[in-house]
Every structure is written in structure tokens, then in C-alpha cells.
Amino acid sequence: MNPFQKNESKETLFSPVSTEEVPPRPPSPPKKSSPKICGSSYPLSIAFIVVNEFCERFSYYGMKAVLTLYFLYFLHWNEDTSTSVYHAFSSLCYFTPILGAAIADSWLGKFKTIIYLSLVYVLGHVLKSLGAIPVLGGKVVHTILSLVGLSLIALGTGGIKPCVAAFGGDQFEEKHAEERTRYFSVFYLSINAGSLISTFITPMLRGDVQCFGDDCYALAFGVPGLLMVIALVVFAMGSKMYKKPPPEGNIVAQVIKCIWFAISNRFKNRSEDIPKRQHWLDWASEKYPKHLILDVKALTRILFLYIPLPMFWALLDQQGSRWTLQATKMNGNLGFFVLQPDQMQVLNPFLVLIFIPLFDLVIYRLIAKCGISFSSLRKMAIGMILACLAFAVAAVIEIKINEMAPPQPGSQEIYLQILNLADDEVNVTVLGNGNHSLLTESIKSFQKTTNYSKLHLKKKKQDFQFHLKYHNLSVHTEHSVEEKNWYSLIIHDNGKGISSMLVKDIENKTMNGMTAIRFINTLHEDVNISLGTDIPLNVGEDYGVSPYRTVQRGEYTAVHCKTEDKDFSLNLGLLDFGAAYLFVITNITNQGLQAWKMEDIPANEMSIAWQLPQYILVTAAEVMFSVTGLEFSYSQAPSSMKSVLQAAWLLTVAVGNIIVLVVAQFSGLVQWAEFVLFSCLLLVVCLIFSIMGYYYVPVKSEDISRPEDKQILNFQGNMINLETKNTKL
């Protein structure tokens, strides 16, 4: 069967030319003109498509903005696993467009494909939101719901990606080509507007709204899901106004079959007796027309240049994973506004909207006036260099963050601080094995210690003797410690003298930009503390110690507390980014109930504004690389290969995310070293790409075969003469 034979339509690539006389067809009834927008030449139907795209992009980018922190703090995965799953999801979103294009072109058509896959998309959002409700099952249920939901979202967003923009273009008549160009500009604007707004709003829904006693991930995922429902409803409302072209046939499949046949045919005819052919694709001439082979030859020249491109996407797409994790270790207080760590991603779409006209109207023109030849391939190479610089800056920032962070105990080491809650000074001596003195300190009542003391162990787990001297009373106690931990020795009155207890402290800074707090209750009755969450924190009587509770950064001047017989408020003051605090609830006779504040771990010192240079560099890189790369590719490929080229471009993004996944899982590097690794790898790839670009000979526009050029082609296999018809892809 001829692979090019399809249902008769205007868009058919090849159709048999019969020698028999074909009777004339009856004239088609005049097409009904679609309604226009306010008397213009713009079809009213595109308004539904643009609104649909805005809502869908809001849905996708809003959900993705909080995804890494959801993995880290809701599912409690480690940073490497969170990064790997994030990029696996991103990669899948760029593989599925090929499936969506195949369904639309070969089976359902664009309209039905968008409707059906949007339903899958909505279902994915529903499952993702259910997977963020703490009371709905345990960790296994949440993980299954999340992964299934993300798979459906990837199928939905990727499947409709190649259909929506093209379906909008189908609504225009050929005489309105200028209006169609402006439509694509508005369409691109709606993408960036949806991304910009959602990346700013959904982190606020996650962090500023509390539900189930913690960050409200269910709301942060539910609102994007609602926007996807609106996108589907709006798109369906315009159904009667749309032009719905029938399926045209999948050119991507035809190209793959042509290449496969050429390779297999060459392998079968590898005998020296068979004459060689000028190009390896010429081995497909027994089955495929010359016109298609020429177009595939032009396509393969461009695809060869695509080989180094995934490395660029590997760096660019880490804004939502590694860079967001870096932001969690920084201080988001800008003075006039407080940024959540996952809100920094809003800089990318915001800067894209600024940089595209800036580069096109100012920078490129100034370079041209200086007489510098700035070809498309050179722009792409410079874009790669800018991305290298962005990751070099990110590595420097990471090193500075590590320098400011408190030191971590190593093997056979612990950190210890001593808190004296008694009413007078206490002398403390810590004895190790063999009564060897490890630490001697004199601690005043409610004295704030400036730092922890490092103690060395003889083995991983060891018992320490604590000798406490209070007035004329000596107390000896024993506590067990384990390596690589932080401890607080709390000394307090017990009515007859003093006693002590050893509690384990938080090990690291809170990585999500939150503040960790805990309480010691010196009262003789339990205290319930309301911290703005659904579940109050209960602290037991007589020096009961609460577990840590994470709260948003902010001023807490009147925290409501309740005992069995009265209510009161505590002033906790400013709780800053990344800090860990201890509050001791005391009842001083002349001052009433108070909270004595102790900082276990200092707040993040480095401002999140220091990420601005790396975002500026990587966004400039994106504008120079991505926009220029698509423009160059389209200028060099035949028009019949545009859809194949788009599929290949999306595949480079998918492969780039797989690279991040592999490095995150198997490199084992500290974060700053991983940033340096990516920067160096892209620099090497940039050098290779520059060499490839140097030897690349650009094709002039008049040399590219156009679908309007009619050629009589000969199928040697079936001996059928075929004529190419006008094709619009």
C-alpha cells in the first residue's frame, strides 16, 4: 500500500494522477464567513483560543512552580530525588507533543485532540490536588496520586501543545496573513502572561494560606486545576465558530519511515557490485518520491546541529529545581516586599517580555551598525556562554551560602549548648570516658549562649557525665549522645535543687525558607499555643519541651496561648527566614507571662536579591538561544518539514531534562560543584557547536524547495506517477 495515499483533501501531499478523464465535481457551496471581532479581520473564535492558552499556561506553570517544594516538604523526598522527578516530569511534557501531533494529524484532528486531552489534563490536576491533602491516606497514597496525576498532566499539556497554536492559525483565511502573524504575537504574549501571573500567585497560595496545619499545597495545586477547567470550558464554548480542518496525515511518521527505509535498504545492498549513491538518503528512492527525499536531506543538515542543544536546556530548566532550592537558603526580605523562594521563578517570564524587544530593537541593531557580523549561529553560541556564566554565578552564590551556614558535626562529633533556666548561676563540667574533662563552663541564669561547643566522641554513640554545681549543691547526671547531632542541655529547678535534661536540636536550617520554633513550658499546667495553623501546639507542664513547628517568616507580636483556666498572648517578635528559635514560657511575678527567646540557628543572611544576576544572564541566554534557534531552523528547512523540526526541537528539551535527572541521581557532588560541572559541560558543548557552525553552509531562502513547486515524481516501486499539490502545513 502506498504510504502517502490518504483521504482526498486540499492538504494531501501526494495523489495519483490518472490518465482517465475525471468528470468535473459539482461546485462547492459558498463557505459561511466566521464572525469577526468588532468589525476587524480577526475571527471571533481566536478570542476563545487565546483565553484558553492563558488559562492552560497559568495551570501548568502555577502547578510546576511549587512542585519541587512539594516533593521536598510534603512527600519528604531528598533534594536529589525531588530534582530528578521534577526533571523527569518536565522531560515527559516534551516527549508527549509528538504523540499529540500524531493523534491530531492522523486520527482525531486538532479540535477533538484538544478537547479529549484537556479532559485528561483536568483529571491529572484533580489527582495531583488530592495527593496534597494530608488527611487523605498516607505517604504511599500521596505518592501514587501525585505520580499518576503528573503523568496525566504531562500527557495533557504535551498532547495539546502542538495543536492549540496551529488550530488558531487555521481560523484565518489566506488573505489575512498579516492578522495571523499578529495573532501569534498575542498568543505568545498570553503564554508569558499566564506564566508570569501564576508563578507569582501560586507560591503565595502555598505559603501565605495555611490548611491542615501546614503549607496549603492542596490549594496551590487546586487553583491551577480550576484554571484548566476554565480553559476547557472556554475552548468548548467557541466550538460552533471554529474552522475544523480534517486530519492531514502525520509528516513526522513519513520522515521516520523514509529514513528507516534508506538505512535498511543500504544495509541490504552493501555488496561492492552495487553502485554507490551520492547521499545515504538516496537509498530511499525505490519507495519514496524525490521531493520528499530532498526535503529530508535539508532536514538532516539542521538536525545534525541539534545534537549539542540538549545541554543548554539542561541548564535552563534548573530554574524550577536547583535554583529554587538555592533560594530556600536565602533571605527573601527585600525591604519593600517579602519573596517566597519559589516566587523567584517569576523573574524569567518577566525578563523575557523585556529582553525580546530590547535585543531586537536595540542591541542587535547597535551591533549591526558597528559592522559586526552577528549570524544566528553566533547568537546561539553566545547564548550558551551566557548560560555558562549564569551557572558560574550560581556556584559562587552557593559557596557564599555555605560559608555563612553553621558548621555541621562530622564523624564522631556533636555540638552542644547549655541553657540555664535556674534562678542562679550554674557551673557545668562535661566528662568523657575516663572522667576526661571535655567542657567546663559557668552559665548565668537565662544567659544566651552565642554558639554551640564541639565535642569529640570515642565512638558513634557514647555516654557523657555532666557535673553541675549550683550554690553548695553538686549534681551528677549521665546522658547518651550520638554522632553528627546537635544537643541542648537544659538545666532547671526541680523544687529541691536542680536537674537537667538533654534534648536533640534541629540539625540544619529549614530548607523551605520557613522558620522552625519550639517551646519549653516552665508553668505548672499545660499550654496550648495557636500559631495561625489549624492544629494548636501543646506543651506539657513543668519544663515540657514541644517538637519543632515550622511557620512562615514574619512578626508574631500577639500569639494566642491558653491554659486550663486562662488565655494570654505572647510576643515572639520577628521570626526570620531559615532560623530556628527556642522560646521558654516563664511567669515572672512583676512582669507576667513572657516568652524568653533563644536563637538556635541564625537566620539566612544572604539576600535572595543576589540571585538576580544569574536570572538576568540565563534569561538573556534564553532569548539569544531559543528565539534565534527557532528562527534559524525555520529559515533553513523546507516548509514541509516545519512540523518535524518543531518535534525535534521539543525533543532536545526533553533530552536536556533527562541529563539533569542523571546528574542529580548519580553525580554525588555538593551543590556548588554540580553547578560548576554543568557550566563546564556547556562550555565544552559550546565549543563543539561553534566548530559545527563554522563548517555549516547556510541555505539561501530561494534555494529551499517550496511546496508550491510542482514536480512530476516517479514511484519506482509501484510505477505510479504522482504530482505534488499545494500544501499548507
Side-chain angles (χ1 to χ4, degrees):
M1 180 180 176
N2 190 340
F4 295 99
Q5 191 171 348
K6 302 180 183 69
N7 297 330
E8 294 183 6
S9 69
K10 182 180 177 181
E11 289 79 9
T12 303
L13 281 174
F14 304 102
S15 61
V17 178
S18 174
T19 56
E20 300 178 3
E21 191 172 342
V22 179
R25 295 183 180 181
S28 302
K31 293 183 179 179
K32 185 179 179 181
S33 178
S34 58
K36 308 295 182 183
I37 299 177
C38 300
S40 66
S41 299
Y42 294 93
L44 181 59
S45 56
I46 65 168
F48 296 93
I49 297 173
V50 170
V51 173
N52 165 270
E53 183 65 12
F54 169 82
C55 294
E56 189 274 328
R57 291 290 88 186
F58 185 110
S59 169
Y60 175 74
Y61 285 109
M63 178 275 304
K64 200 175 178 185
V66 298
L67 194 57
T68 300
L69 297 188
Y70 167 79
F71 292 150
L72 200 61
Y73 302 113
F74 190 90
L75 297 182
H76 303 291
W77 294 348
N78 60 39
E79 291 187 16
D80 290 338
T81 303
S82 301
T83 300
S84 299
V85 176
Y86 176 90
H87 286 283
F89 167 70
S90 299
S91 178
L92 188 58
C93 289
Y94 286 99
F95 274 118
T96 50
I98 300 175
L99 178 61
I103 293 172
D105 290 343
S106 305
W107 181 25
L108 295 177
K110 298 184 186 73
F111 175 77
K112 289 184 178 179
T113 301
I114 295 171
I115 290 290
Y116 294 156
L117 290 184
S118 293
L119 291 171
V120 174
Y121 202 159
V122 169
L123 178 60
H125 271 297
V126 171
L127 295 178
K128 191 75 194 72
S129 301
L130 292 176
I133 299 176
V135 297
L136 192 65
K139 182 179 178 181
V140 175
V141 174
H142 295 149
T143 302
I144 293 173
L145 287 173
S146 297
L147 294 181
V148 174
L150 287 175
S151 300
L152 295 178
I153 290 172
L155 176 59
T157 187
I160 67 176
K161 189 188 294 288
C163 302
V164 178
F167 187 69
D170 291 339
Q171 308 308 306
F172 290 86
E173 300 173 12
E174 286 300 326
K175 60 183 179 181
H176 297 142
E178 184 177 345
E179 287 82 357
R180 181 168 53 200
T181 302
R182 290 175 184 167
Y183 152 75
F184 282 112
S185 298
V186 175
F187 186 85
Y188 183 75
L189 180 65
S190 71
I191 294 174
N192 283 276
S195 170
L196 181 69
I197 297 172
S198 66
T199 308
F200 185 77
I201 289 179
T202 50
M204 296 174 66
L205 297 176
R206 171 195 63 80
D208 295 346
V209 179
Q210 297 287 312
C211 60
F212 304 104
D214 210 337
D215 281 358
C216 201
Y217 287 101
L219 182 64
F221 290 136
V223 170
L226 178 62
L227 264 291
M228 190 58 222
V229 173
I230 295 174
L232 175 59
V233 171
V234 169
F235 183 77
M237 285 171 60
S239 175
K240 295 183 179 179
M241 303 180 192
Y242 297 139
K243 294 179 181 176
K244 303 172 185 174
E248 303 171 356
N250 191 358
I251 187 65
V252 177
Q254 295 174 10
V255 170
I256 293 173
K257 290 177 182 178
C258 178
I259 293 175
W260 175 252
F261 182 80
I263 295 173
S264 59
N265 195 30
R266 176 67 184 91
F267 183 76
K268 292 175 184 177
N269 297 280
R270 58 186 183 275
S271 172
E272 295 181 359
D273 299 333
I274 301 175
K276 295 183 178 180
R277 301 188 184 182
Q278 187 176 5
H279 193 279
W280 62 273
L281 277 169
D282 291 333
W283 289 94
S285 59
E286 281 84 0
K287 186 175 180 181
Y288 293 92
K290 183 179 180 182
H291 179 72
L292 177 65
I293 294 173
L294 290 173
D295 285 355
V296 175
K297 286 180 181 178
L299 175 71
T300 53
R301 296 179 70 248
I302 306 216
L303 294 183
F304 178 70
L305 287 176
Y306 277 16
I307 294 174
L309 303 193
M311 199 66 227
F312 176 84
W313 300 115
L315 275 69
L316 185 71
D317 281 358
Q318 289 189 56
Q319 296 173 67
S321 56
R322 291 302 200 196
W323 285 15
T324 297
L325 294 175
Q326 185 185 69
T328 63
K329 297 177 280 188
M330 306 177 79
N331 196 313
N333 184 17
L334 302 179
F336 58 91
F337 189 78
V338 178
L339 272 178
Q340 298 294 334
D342 37 2
Q343 280 182 313
M344 278 300 288
Q345 300 172 60
V346 78
L347 280 175
N348 180 254
F350 176 73
L351 291 173
V352 163
L353 294 176
I354 296 175
F355 281 0
I356 287 180
L358 177 65
F359 275 73
D360 286 341
L361 302 178
V362 180
I363 296 177
Y364 291 156
R365 293 187 180 185
L366 287 176
I367 293 174
K369 285 185 178 181
C370 294
I372 300 174
S373 176
F374 207 34
S375 65
S376 296
L377 293 177
R378 288 181 180 176
K379 291 178 185 177
M380 294 176 69
I382 291 176
M384 289 182 176
I385 294 173
L386 290 176
C388 291
L389 293 175
F391 267 68
V393 172
V396 172
I397 297 296
E398 191 71 23
I399 291 172
K400 290 295 181 183
I401 291 173
N402 292 340
E403 289 176 355
M404 295 178 179
Q408 296 298 310
S411 178
Q412 296 187 357
E413 290 180 349
I414 66 162
Y415 279 99
L416 175 71
Q417 70 171 350
I418 302 172
L419 302 178
N420 179 12
L421 305 184
D423 57 2
D424 204 351
E425 184 175 346
V426 176
N427 291 313
V428 181
T429 302
V430 182
L431 303 176
N433 290 342
N435 291 328
H436 176 65
S437 178
L438 300 177
L439 176 69
T440 301
E441 282 192 25
S442 180
I443 312 294
K444 294 180 180 180
S445 177
F446 285 87
Q447 175 183 327
K448 293 186 178 181
T449 56
T450 55
N451 48 38
Y452 283 77
S453 300
K454 182 193 292 186
L455 301 181
H456 295 275
L457 311 181
K458 295 294 184 180
K459 48 187 179 180
K460 292 184 179 181
K461 195 172 182 179
Q462 184 176 331
D463 293 333
F464 279 167
Q465 302 290 329
F466 293 87
H467 184 200
L468 311 178
K469 202 166 187 180
Y470 171 72
H471 295 167
N472 296 323
L473 182 67
S474 292
V475 178
H476 295 269
T477 58
E478 183 177 282
H479 297 290
S480 180
V481 296
E482 192 172 352
E483 66 174 0
K484 299 182 180 179
N485 282 308
W486 301 68
Y487 293 95
S488 290
L489 179 70
I490 301 169
I491 304 169
H492 61 87
D493 295 312
N494 61 6
K496 299 178 181 179
I498 59 171
S499 58
S500 66
M501 57 182 175
L502 190 70
V503 296
K504 187 182 291 187
D505 295 345
I506 192 168
E507 299 176 6
N508 292 300
K509 284 179 173 289
T510 54
M511 298 297 294
N512 55 353
M514 303 277 280
T515 301
I517 60 175
R518 65 175 173 176
F519 294 84
I520 296 178
N521 177 21
T522 66
L523 307 181
H524 299 300
E525 53 186 338
D526 292 356
V527 177
N528 288 314
I529 304 171
S530 299
L531 294 166
T533 60
D534 296 337
I535 304 172
L537 183 64
N538 180 267
V539 191
E541 62 183 6
D542 295 328
Y543 297 94
V545 181
S546 74
Y548 279 101
R549 175 70 64 87
T550 56
V551 295
Q552 288 291 328
R553 181 262 183 202
E555 292 277 355
Y556 291 78
T557 56
V559 175
H560 181 260
C561 302
K562 185 177 182 180
T563 61
E564 188 176 350
D565 54 355
K566 65 178 176 180
D567 294 358
F568 60 95
S569 295
L570 293 177
N571 181 7
L572 306 185
L574 174 65
L575 306 182
D576 214 347
F577 284 105
Y581 298 98
L582 169 67
F583 292 95
V584 180
I585 303 173
T586 61
N587 188 6
I588 302 175
T589 305
N590 59 346
Q591 296 179 3
L593 291 166
Q594 288 186 340
W596 181 70
K597 186 177 182 179
M598 179 76 183
E599 189 178 68
D600 290 342
I601 295 180
N604 299 340
E605 296 181 41
M606 179 165 281
S607 172
I608 203 170
W610 283 104
Q611 277 198 324
L612 184 60
Q614 65 200 55
Y615 271 97
I616 291 175
L617 286 169
V618 84
T619 306
E622 180 182 1
V623 170
M624 296 193 71
F625 181 91
S626 180
V627 177
T628 306
L630 277 174
E631 174 192 352
F632 169 78
S633 302
Y634 274 51
S635 69
Q636 297 295 294
S639 57
S640 63
M641 295 291 114
K642 305 297 187 189
S643 58
V644 185
L645 205 62
Q646 180 68 22
W649 183 267
L650 295 174
L651 278 178
T652 64
V653 183
V655 175
N657 280 276
I658 291 176
I659 293 173
V660 182
L661 188 157
V662 172
V663 172
Q665 283 290 67
F666 302 108
S667 69
L669 298 173
V670 294
Q671 192 54 67
W672 68 265
E674 187 179 291
F675 285 152
V676 172
L677 173 65
F678 276 110
S679 182
C680 293
L681 286 175
L682 184 59
L683 194 61
V684 172
V685 167
C686 177
L687 179 62
I688 296 172
F689 179 78
S690 299
I691 295 172
M692 294 167 64
Y694 178 79
Y695 289 101
Y696 179 82
V697 180
V699 179
K700 297 179 181 179
S701 56
E702 58 267 21
D703 295 336
I704 299 176
S705 60
R706 300 176 182 175
E708 291 86 0
D709 301 334
K710 295 186 178 181
Q711 301 178 5
I712 303 297
L713 305 168
N714 182 37
F715 275 112
Q716 294 186 18
N718 296 328
M719 299 301 291
I720 301 176
N721 291 323
L722 301 178
E723 180 182 10
T724 61
K725 289 190 174 182
N726 290 345
T727 306
K728 185 182 76 171
L729 294 175

